[in-house]
Amino acid sequence: MPVARRLELALLLTPALLLFGLFVLAPMAIAGFYSAYDWNGFGPLTDFVGWRNYADALTGKVFQDAFWHNAVIAVLSIAVQLPLSIGLALLLNRRLRGRAALRAIVFAPYVLSEAITAVVWLMVLQPGGFADRVLGAVGLGDLVQQWLADPEVVLYTLFGVITWKYLGFGIILLLAGLQGIPEELREAAALDGATPWQTTRHVLLPLLGPTVRIWVFLSVIGSLQLFDLVWIMTLGGPANASTTMATYLVDHGFKRYEIGYGSAVAVLVFVVCFAFALLYQRFALRRDTEGALG
Amino acid sequence: MRLTRALAAAAALSLLASCGGPAAPQEPTGPITLTWWHNGTSDPIKTVWQDVVTDYQGKNPDITIEAQPIQNEGFSTKIPLALQSPTPPDVYQQWGGGDLASQVTSGKLADITDASKPWISTIGDFAKGWQVDGRQLGVPFAQHVVGFWYRKDLFSQAGISAPPTTMAELNAAVAKLKSAGLAPIAVGGKDRWPDAFYWNYFAVRECSQQTIESSVKNLKLDDPCWVKAGQDLVDFLRTEPFQEGFNGTPAQQGAGSSAGLVANGKAAMELQGDWNPGTMSSLTEDKDLDSKVGWFPFPTVPGGQGDPAAVLGGGDGFSCTTRAAAACAKFLEYLIGPEIQNKLAAAGTGLPVNEAAVTALKTENLKTVAEHGRNAPYVQMYFDRAFPTDVGAALNEAVANLFAGQGSPQGIVDAVNEAADGAK
């Protein structure tokens, strides 16, 4: 590469690299550093504890539970949201009356912030609230639960709200994927005498593969980092039944002044996300990105 | 280069500052600017603090006060960062107890023991919560007292003639309210700390003052009275005194919160601080709420070692950092003086720490509560504040778990002892 070109590259990249280093890499390194200390965030860093914070977190029941809660949300997302999104996307991709309005309605919840979603659903789900009254009015009063107060139920309630909020995003993503499938393929299938179901099963769904794989990636990473909604709706309770790794991190790191321990938890969350991202890239996304990354 | 130098300077400063305990106030020279972080983000206290700034600057032309209102929750993240920085605020909101003990390790807090000697006695025992190892590291401007706020109308509807004074009477009242189809007690279990009030009070009733003081000091709950307190709580929970879904109910936000339930007549009582009338009135349309609610202290527990008149409470205060400690201490003296205390009391922002201002309180209820706190043999700071922050949080978590049907009385004691030993 000619010198001028190198200089140009360096000049253009430096600001971005500096910002990235200062606000992404440096805090990560600092968190790693703090995680080896028992530190409340005030005095000097004196109590070196090595790996103890990590051991405490990994052997602690609440953090383990938090990890499983994240995992449950991730698995449920794939098992429930994905089929729902695909089904609705296929439906909304057809020529039907009011399609634009329907798409807008489906997408609307995604536009709301998680904080607003949480506050709205708090009101809907409070005892004797809108949800309970609707269930009662349609004769399903027996289904009424202590949505946010019962440790057995709360995680699934939260999953329901998450689904409500993020379904629209999945559908829009899949619709975009569907638009990218050439019309000719469908016509060819029809000429060959394929039924609509066969066309969907053997033409559309396989070609949606890259979109689905990206959706799964975003969904799992999102599930692993789940915070706002849970923090506002339940604070991780009752009895830690809805704690996620991120709420556990904020609870210990900031509310309890356990900065060293919180840093260790932050590193663990990062490692989990990073490991997933790497493995997923390696095994699931490779064929999609092969062309792009050459 | 510049950055490195600044960083090195900051590091050197923090090293210097962390040597030894808190520094004694120096005398100010020349004009001084005090930065003041308080939590008065909304009225009525917002206006009171604004007036304080104008008034104080008028009386002290050398002093400029830069007040910065910060949301309550913001303090838990902002204060640690500020105390790490070379320029922390000069005066900042402080709730005393274990938080204060944690923050003092930063070396940035001013010891105002000597500076406050001439006037600290005006507020009596309340100053104790802002001491660490006998050093005065802040001053409360308002005290808090926890007790039962109840609806007189719902009590009479259920045929309860007088507020309960013993646990047996409270249980009887709960039964009567239930058979009248009313939710007896509202509790904001989602927030955990309202749950902890119950365990706190049972502990204050079961354990002697001496036991409590030594346990808090040594951070070890080894007296059997602590387990007994948990057992009292389990027995009480068995009577199912709380509203439906109490584990998911917030304490102070919205009409569906525990305060909102009482304010709107959906529940008959709530164990809460003296701030509750203010919280409740903002959650209801009812303009006559004050005349409908009454207050009674936490009932006595048979056989307990604690003084039956002991009170659970806390307070709001301010601490000084070292830069302008002398000016800060003067400012705090002004805040607990009769003039400002009367203003605070009249605005309904809390119970004054200065006795002279008690008569300025707006309602008879609040006067009753203030007098009760004042006449109590001792006021125990809520344990989550009295203990170091992480230990207090572990306690609240363990109590909330018990409310949600998990754990045991021994488990609460173990959780505190383990957290004190550094377990997470």
Side-chain angles (χ1 to χ4, degrees):
Chain A
M1 221 188 302
V3 178
R5 179 114 182 89
R6 274 168 199 252
L7 269 177
E8 187 188 325
L9 261 183
L11 197 72
L12 291 174
L13 275 178
T14 309
L17 283 180
L18 268 180
L19 286 177
F20 187 73
L22 200 63
F23 291 107
V24 179
L25 296 180
M28 274 162 52
I30 292 171
F33 177 63
Y34 287 165
S35 71
Y37 288 86
D38 183 12
W39 189 47
N40 69 3
F42 293 105
L45 277 169
T46 47
D47 297 332
F48 182 81
V49 294
W51 296 101
R52 201 188 77 198
N53 283 330
Y54 291 92
D56 280 349
L58 291 171
T59 56
K61 184 175 178 303
V62 180
F63 182 74
Q64 288 174 0
D65 285 354
F67 173 79
W68 286 114
H69 296 155
N70 284 111
V72 165
I73 296 286
V75 169
L76 279 178
S77 298
I78 295 170
V80 176
Q81 285 177 13
L82 184 59
L84 260 178
S85 307
I86 293 178
L88 285 167
L90 287 171
L91 200 68
L92 288 173
N93 198 38
R94 306 168 80 170
R95 285 190 193 84
L96 44 98
R97 203 188 294 195
R99 185 169 73 168
L102 273 176
R103 283 183 181 181
I105 290 169
V106 164
F107 191 62
Y110 181 69
V111 178
L112 297 177
S113 76
E114 280 205 12
I116 291 171
T117 309
V119 172
V120 169
W121 278 94
L122 267 181
M123 288 188 228
V124 172
L125 292 169
Q126 69 187 6
F130 184 72
D132 291 358
R133 267 182 273 161
V134 167
L135 283 174
V138 298
L140 294 172
D142 291 347
L143 288 182
V144 167
Q145 303 283 329
Q146 293 191 5
W147 303 109
L148 297 169
D150 184 343
E152 305 283 330
V153 174
V154 63
L155 196 61
Y156 304 101
T157 306
L158 288 171
F159 174 72
V161 178
I162 293 167
T163 304
W164 179 85
K165 174 154 167 52
Y166 287 101
L167 199 60
F169 175 68
I171 291 169
I172 291 291
L173 206 65
L174 290 162
L175 274 174
L178 282 170
Q179 315 273 302
I181 297 171
E183 194 60 29
E184 299 86 63
L185 290 176
R186 258 184 275 191
E187 283 166 11
L191 281 178
D192 286 343
T195 61
W197 167 244
Q198 283 170 328
T199 313
T200 304
R201 171 73 189 79
H202 297 287
V203 179
L204 293 183
L205 286 185
L207 286 169
L208 264 184
T211 318
V212 169
R213 284 191 286 276
I214 285 289
W215 180 89
V216 168
F217 182 73
L218 294 174
S219 171
V220 172
I221 292 290
S223 304
L224 291 176
Q225 297 177 337
L226 184 61
F227 175 74
D228 314 29
L229 205 82
V230 181
W231 192 252
I232 297 170
M233 291 188 73
T234 68
L235 283 168
N240 290 315
S242 62
T243 311
T244 66
M245 291 191 288
T247 64
Y248 183 79
L249 160 61
V250 171
D251 184 20
H252 282 264
F254 293 112
K255 299 208 90 165
R256 305 191 185 192
Y257 291 157
E258 294 168 351
I259 304 283
Y261 182 66
S263 299
V265 173
V267 171
L268 286 174
V269 175
F270 172 77
V271 167
V272 170
C273 291
F274 196 63
F276 169 77
L278 277 185
L279 290 173
Y280 197 78
Q281 291 272 5
R282 176 81 181 71
F283 293 107
L285 286 182
R286 196 169 54 158
R287 42 192 158 157
D288 302 330
T289 50
E290 250 170 4
L293 298 177
Chain B
M1 189 61 206
R2 254 219 181 129
L3 184 68
T4 342
R5 223 181 263 172
L7 283 175
L13 265 179
S14 65
L15 274 178
L16 275 177
S18 55
C19 295
Q26 324 108 353
E27 279 307 310
T29 48
I32 282 182
T33 302
L34 288 177
T35 47
W36 180 25
W37 287 10
H38 61 68
N39 73 344
T41 48
S42 58
D43 274 329
I45 198 162
K46 188 177 163 196
T47 313
V48 177
W49 289 152
Q50 276 164 0
D51 293 347
V52 159
V53 171
T54 328
D55 184 51
Y56 196 72
Q57 289 182 153
K59 285 178 182 158
N60 302 274
D62 270 1
I63 309 278
T64 311
I65 296 178
E66 275 176 12
Q68 195 181 338
I70 294 171
Q71 285 281 356
N72 238 346
E73 290 70 24
F75 281 90
S76 59
T77 47
K78 276 183 186 284
I79 289 299
L81 285 174
L83 291 178
Q84 285 287 311
S85 88
T87 52
D90 301 302
V91 195
Y92 71 93
Q93 188 97 16
Q94 173 63 258
W95 290 274
D99 267 8
L100 177 60
S102 299
Q103 291 171 11
V104 76
T105 56
S106 71
K108 300 269 169 68
L109 268 70
D111 180 352
I112 57 169
T113 315
D114 294 331
S116 64
K117 242 181 206 137
W119 45 265
I120 197 83
S121 59
T122 0
I123 59 173
D125 277 355
F126 297 123
K128 279 189 189 155
W130 279 255
Q131 290 170 356
V132 177
D133 301 330
R135 294 169 303 169
Q136 196 72 40
L137 295 164
V139 173
F141 63 85
Q143 63 147 324
H144 292 309
V145 166
V146 177
F148 275 104
W149 293 92
Y150 73 103
R151 302 273 308 203
K152 294 176 187 165
D153 51 346
L154 298 188
F155 266 43
S156 55
Q157 192 184 323
I160 303 163
S161 47
T165 56
T166 63
M167 276 313 289
E169 286 176 22
L170 180 63
N171 290 336
V174 165
K176 277 186 185 168
L177 286 160
K178 271 200 205 167
S179 56
L182 297 160
I185 309 181
V187 66
K190 177 192 169 193
D191 290 314
R192 294 182 185 168
W193 54 265
D195 293 348
F197 280 165
Y198 285 90
W199 186 87
N200 283 345
Y201 250 127
F202 280 124
V204 168
R205 293 281 179 269
E206 288 292 356
C207 302
S208 70
Q209 183 178 359
Q210 218 180 357
T211 307
I212 293 178
E213 279 169 0
S214 71
S215 298
V216 170
K217 190 159 180 277
N218 304 323
L219 278 183
K220 191 127 194 82
L221 309 186
D222 44 9
D223 193 284
C225 70
W226 297 106
V227 181
K228 188 85 190 341
Q231 193 52 52
D232 289 348
L233 177 56
V234 169
D235 294 344
F236 185 58
L237 286 171
R238 267 203 202 111
T239 68
E240 298 184 354
F242 299 114
Q243 85 278 15
E244 191 201 345
F246 59 88
N247 285 316
T249 305
Q252 302 181 326
Q253 286 148 355
S257 66
S258 53
L261 291 173
V262 180
N264 295 301
K266 301 261 173 66
M269 49 184 146
E270 185 185 15
L271 181 62
Q272 265 294 353
D274 54 276
W275 56 81
N276 218 30
T279 312
M280 287 193 290
S281 62
S282 66
L283 298 175
T284 181
E285 300 286 307
D286 191 342
K287 297 286 170 241
D288 298 324
L289 183 69
D290 278 335
S291 65
K292 288 182 187 142
V293 296
W295 186 88
F296 63 91
F298 195 86
T300 58
V301 173
Q305 304 292 307
D307 193 313
V311 159
L312 184 75
D316 303 310
F318 291 110
S319 277
C320 300
T321 55
T322 48
R323 189 190 66 91
C328 172
K330 275 224 163 67
F331 180 58
L332 296 185
E333 178 188 4
Y334 166 75
L335 289 184
I336 64 154
E339 186 195 340
I340 303 305
Q341 287 286 302
N342 270 313
K343 264 192 192 172
L344 286 165
T349 59
L351 308 176
V353 284
N354 193 324
E355 192 167 14
V358 170
T359 48
L361 284 165
K362 274 198 296 190
T363 66
E364 285 311 308
N365 276 331
L366 286 176
K367 283 177 196 167
T368 311
V369 178
E371 283 309 327
H372 188 81
R374 216 154 258 291
N375 297 332
Y378 72 98
V379 178
Q380 173 58 45
M381 185 178 273
Y382 342 101
F383 290 109
D384 58 347
R385 283 251 172 245
F387 291 139
T389 317
D390 53 340
V391 180
L395 167 65
N396 287 0
E397 183 180 0
V399 175
N401 287 354
L402 199 67
F403 269 67
Q406 297 178 11
S408 64
Q410 183 65 46
I412 295 174
V413 170
D414 292 344
V416 171
N417 290 337
E418 283 163 18
D421 289 339
K424 308 302 174 200

mmCIF file of all heavy atoms in Angstrom, chain A residues 94-109:
data_model
loop_
_atom_site.group_PDB
_atom_site.id
_atom_site.type_symbol
_atom_site.label_atom_id
_atom_site.label_comp_id
_atom_site.label_asym_id
_atom_site.label_seq_id
_atom_site.Cartn_x
_atom_site.Cartn_y
_atom_site.Cartn_z
ATOM 1 N N ARG A 94 -48.746 -11.424 2.066
ATOM 2 C CA ARG A 94 -49.735 -11.678 1.024
ATOM 3 C C ARG A 94 -50.499 -10.398 0.744
ATOM 4 O O ARG A 94 -50.504 -9.477 1.547
ATOM 5 C CB ARG A 94 -50.695 -12.779 1.467
ATOM 6 C CG ARG A 94 -49.961 -14.027 1.891
ATOM 7 C CD ARG A 94 -50.885 -14.962 2.566
ATOM 8 N NE ARG A 94 -51.681 -15.708 1.592
ATOM 9 C CZ ARG A 94 -52.436 -16.737 1.940
ATOM 10 N NH1 ARG A 94 -52.529 -17.102 3.196
ATOM 11 N NH2 ARG A 94 -53.131 -17.381 1.039
ATOM 12 N N ARG A 95 -51.104 -10.392 -0.424
ATOM 13 C CA ARG A 95 -51.882 -9.197 -0.748
ATOM 14 C C ARG A 95 -53.202 -9.278 -0.014
ATOM 15 O O ARG A 95 -54.057 -10.072 -0.351
ATOM 16 C CB ARG A 95 -52.120 -9.132 -2.252
ATOM 17 C CG ARG A 95 -50.871 -8.717 -2.956
ATOM 18 C CD ARG A 95 -51.110 -8.398 -4.404
ATOM 19 N NE ARG A 95 -49.809 -8.318 -5.059
ATOM 20 C CZ ARG A 95 -49.146 -9.395 -5.513
ATOM 21 N NH1 ARG A 95 -49.676 -10.589 -5.426
ATOM 22 N NH2 ARG A 95 -47.961 -9.255 -6.073
ATOM 23 N N LEU A 96 -53.330 -8.511 1.050
ATOM 24 C CA LEU A 96 -54.631 -8.491 1.712
ATOM 25 C C LEU A 96 -54.997 -7.075 2.078
ATOM 26 O O LEU A 96 -54.137 -6.192 2.151
ATOM 27 C CB LEU A 96 -54.661 -9.408 2.942
ATOM 28 C CG LEU A 96 -53.488 -9.390 3.908
ATOM 29 C CD1 LEU A 96 -53.788 -8.510 5.076
ATOM 30 C CD2 LEU A 96 -53.236 -10.817 4.379
ATOM 31 N N ARG A 97 -56.283 -6.880 2.290
ATOM 32 C CA ARG A 97 -56.762 -5.532 2.517
ATOM 33 C C ARG A 97 -56.236 -4.993 3.865
ATOM 34 O O ARG A 97 -56.181 -5.736 4.840
ATOM 35 C CB ARG A 97 -58.295 -5.529 2.527
ATOM 36 C CG ARG A 97 -58.847 -4.162 2.197
ATOM 37 C CD ARG A 97 -60.312 -4.129 2.394
ATOM 38 N NE ARG A 97 -60.978 -5.025 1.397
ATOM 39 C CZ ARG A 97 -62.288 -4.964 1.159
ATOM 40 N NH1 ARG A 97 -63.026 -4.109 1.802
ATOM 41 N NH2 ARG A 97 -62.849 -5.779 0.284
ATOM 42 N N GLY A 98 -55.834 -3.749 3.881
ATOM 43 C CA GLY A 98 -55.353 -3.119 5.119
ATOM 44 C C GLY A 98 -53.996 -3.634 5.535
ATOM 45 O O GLY A 98 -53.643 -3.588 6.713
ATOM 46 N N ARG A 99 -53.213 -4.144 4.577
ATOM 47 C CA ARG A 99 -51.933 -4.734 4.927
ATOM 48 C C ARG A 99 -50.998 -3.711 5.577
ATOM 49 O O ARG A 99 -50.350 -3.997 6.584
ATOM 50 C CB ARG A 99 -51.288 -5.312 3.666
ATOM 51 C CG ARG A 99 -50.014 -6.063 3.958
ATOM 52 C CD ARG A 99 -49.550 -6.825 2.763
ATOM 53 N NE ARG A 99 -49.005 -5.931 1.729
ATOM 54 C CZ ARG A 99 -48.317 -6.374 0.673
ATOM 55 N NH1 ARG A 99 -48.152 -7.661 0.507
ATOM 56 N NH2 ARG A 99 -47.856 -5.525 -0.213
ATOM 57 N N ALA A 100 -50.968 -2.505 5.002
ATOM 58 C CA ALA A 100 -50.065 -1.481 5.537
ATOM 59 C C ALA A 100 -50.431 -1.161 6.986
ATOM 60 O O ALA A 100 -49.562 -1.057 7.857
ATOM 61 C CB ALA A 100 -50.136 -0.222 4.686
ATOM 62 N N ALA A 101 -51.733 -1.020 7.241
ATOM 63 C CA ALA A 101 -52.180 -0.700 8.599
ATOM 64 C C ALA A 101 -51.803 -1.827 9.552
ATOM 65 O O ALA A 101 -51.304 -1.592 10.654
ATOM 66 C CB ALA A 101 -53.680 -0.466 8.609
ATOM 67 N N LEU A 102 -52.044 -3.077 9.102
ATOM 68 C CA LEU A 102 -51.716 -4.233 9.947
ATOM 69 C C LEU A 102 -50.236 -4.256 10.284
ATOM 70 O O LEU A 102 -49.844 -4.489 11.427
ATOM 71 C CB LEU A 102 -52.089 -5.523 9.212
ATOM 72 C CG LEU A 102 -53.526 -5.982 9.394
ATOM 73 C CD1 LEU A 102 -53.793 -7.216 8.551
ATOM 74 C CD2 LEU A 102 -53.806 -6.278 10.858
ATOM 75 N N ARG A 103 -49.423 -3.996 9.255
ATOM 76 C CA ARG A 103 -47.974 -3.992 9.496
ATOM 77 C C ARG A 103 -47.608 -2.931 10.531
ATOM 78 O O ARG A 103 -46.787 -3.163 11.416
ATOM 79 C CB ARG A 103 -47.223 -3.707 8.187
ATOM 80 C CG ARG A 103 -47.170 -4.914 7.275
ATOM 81 C CD ARG A 103 -46.354 -4.563 6.046
ATOM 82 N NE ARG A 103 -46.305 -5.703 5.135
ATOM 83 C CZ ARG A 103 -45.635 -5.691 3.987
ATOM 84 N NH1 ARG A 103 -44.993 -4.592 3.623
ATOM 85 N NH2 ARG A 103 -45.624 -6.741 3.219
ATOM 86 N N ALA A 104 -48.225 -1.754 10.393
ATOM 87 C CA ALA A 104 -47.922 -0.669 11.323
ATOM 88 C C ALA A 104 -48.308 -1.068 12.746
ATOM 89 O O ALA A 104 -47.559 -0.854 13.699
ATOM 90 C CB ALA A 104 -48.661 0.600 10.912
ATOM 91 N N ILE A 105 -49.489 -1.703 12.866
ATOM 92 C CA ILE A 105 -49.951 -2.096 14.204
ATOM 93 C C ILE A 105 -49.005 -3.115 14.827
ATOM 94 O O ILE A 105 -48.627 -3.027 15.991
ATOM 95 C CB ILE A 105 -51.388 -2.667 14.121
ATOM 96 C CG1 ILE A 105 -52.359 -1.550 13.793
ATOM 97 C CG2 ILE A 105 -51.770 -3.369 15.416
ATOM 98 C CD1 ILE A 105 -53.741 -2.026 13.426
ATOM 99 N N VAL A 106 -48.600 -4.095 14.001
ATOM 100 C CA VAL A 106 -47.725 -5.146 14.512
ATOM 101 C C VAL A 106 -46.376 -4.574 14.929
ATOM 102 O O VAL A 106 -45.770 -5.000 15.904
ATOM 103 C CB VAL A 106 -47.551 -6.243 13.433
ATOM 104 C CG1 VAL A 106 -46.372 -7.137 13.764
ATOM 105 C CG2 VAL A 106 -48.829 -7.055 13.324
ATOM 106 N N PHE A 107 -45.929 -3.556 14.198
ATOM 107 C CA PHE A 107 -44.609 -3.005 14.456
ATOM 108 C C PHE A 107 -44.620 -2.003 15.613
ATOM 109 O O PHE A 107 -43.590 -1.766 16.244
ATOM 110 C CB PHE A 107 -44.074 -2.334 13.187
ATOM 111 C CG PHE A 107 -42.620 -1.976 13.263
ATOM 112 C CD1 PHE A 107 -41.663 -2.977 13.417
ATOM 113 C CD2 PHE A 107 -42.201 -0.660 13.196
ATOM 114 C CE1 PHE A 107 -40.315 -2.655 13.501
ATOM 115 C CE2 PHE A 107 -40.852 -0.335 13.282
ATOM 116 C CZ PHE A 107 -39.911 -1.337 13.433
ATOM 117 N N ALA A 108 -45.803 -1.444 15.893
ATOM 118 C CA ALA A 108 -45.894 -0.336 16.863
ATOM 119 C C ALA A 108 -45.214 -0.606 18.211
ATOM 120 O O ALA A 108 -44.462 0.233 18.689
ATOM 121 C CB ALA A 108 -47.344 0.062 17.057
ATOM 122 N N PRO A 109 -45.446 -1.773 18.847
ATOM 123 C CA PRO A 109 -44.841 -1.967 20.177
ATOM 124 C C PRO A 109 -43.325 -1.854 20.159
ATOM 125 O O PRO A 109 -42.726 -1.407 21.128
ATOM 126 C CB PRO A 109 -45.262 -3.392 20.553
ATOM 127 C CG PRO A 109 -46.451 -3.675 19.734
ATOM 128 C CD PRO A 109 -46.274 -2.920 18.457
#
